[in-house]
Amino acid sequence: MPAGPVIVNNTPLVALWSLGRLDLLRELYGEVLIPQAIYDEFLAIERAVRQKALADAPWITPVSLTNPQRARLYIGLDRGEAEVLALAEERAARLVIIDELRGRRYAKRLEIPLTGTLGVLLLAKEKGLVDELAPLLRQLQEAGIFLNTALIDEVLRLAGET
């Protein structure tokens, strides 16, 4: 496994939690980091249930930024996304898991390798950790997570489910 941590933003964390599949992060990447802002954002809703989910997932480690001011450099991003990218730079991340378009654009400009929720699920299928993506994608949509139709079609095509 390459050096450097994997850092997860809130939307992918919520998506995997809603599927009951936080274990995919461990299976695919080992330990993953979340900055304090993501920890706070994740626990802002259904705190007790989500706190238990994180307690049951010790491979998800909340960490503080060494230089919290660095997150202010990411104009136009919310605090969580900015801290994800700042942490990725501080720790020389091997991968950032982020879905939001602005955050992805920043990561590309910074040349930080990235994927999103659907990329994680596609990799999980390739590794035999999930059997089918289509039911998981429906479950995410039913949970209120927006998924672009064209992206769903492409992921299902890549997964051999079309």
Side-chain angles (χ1 to χ4, degrees), residues 65-117:
L65 291 169
T66 304
N67 179 5
Q69 300 305 318
R70 181 181 205 108
R72 293 187 178 167
L73 299 174
Y74 304 103
I75 308 298
L77 297 184
D78 71 21
R79 181 174 160 238
E81 293 163 3
E83 283 196 17
V84 164
L85 295 175
L87 186 61
E89 286 194 297
E90 281 185 6
R91 302 283 182 107
R94 75 177 187 266
L95 184 69
V96 167
I97 304 172
I98 190 167
D99 288 341
E100 291 72 18
L101 184 58
R102 283 186 178 167
R104 292 175 71 86
R105 285 182 179 153
Y106 264 108
K108 285 178 185 176
R109 272 188 251 138
L110 296 168
E111 299 181 352
I112 299 169
L114 68 113
T115 194
T117 301

Side-chain angles (χ1 to χ4, degrees), residues 3 14 16-17 20 22 32 48 64 69 77 103 105 113 116 120 127 133 135 144 149-151 153:
V14 169
L16 294 171
W17 168 76
L22 288 175
V32 297
S64 297
Q69 300 305 318
L77 297 184
R105 285 182 179 153
V120 170
K127 301 269 186 190
L133 293 187
T149 304
L151 187 55
D153 292 343

Side-chain angles (χ1 to χ4, degrees), residues 20-99:
R21 295 307 310 260
L22 288 175
D23 64 299
L24 293 177
L25 294 171
R26 180 192 64 225
E27 297 298 324
L28 295 171
Y29 309 111
E31 180 185 34
V32 297
L33 304 180
I34 57 172
Q36 187 63 46
I38 297 304
Y39 180 80
D40 296 342
E41 201 175 322
F42 183 73
L43 296 180
I45 300 170
E46 301 179 74
R47 184 174 187 87
V49 174
R50 290 181 180 204
Q51 211 162 24
K52 181 177 180 349
L54 289 179
D56 292 343
W59 56 89
I60 301 171
T61 306
V63 296
S64 297
L65 291 169
T66 304
N67 179 5
Q69 300 305 318
R70 181 181 205 108
R72 293 187 178 167
L73 299 174
Y74 304 103
I75 308 298
L77 297 184
D78 71 21
R79 181 174 160 238
E81 293 163 3
E83 283 196 17
V84 164
L85 295 175
L87 186 61
E89 286 194 297
E90 281 185 6
R91 302 283 182 107
R94 75 177 187 266
L95 184 69
V96 167
I97 304 172
I98 190 167
D99 288 341

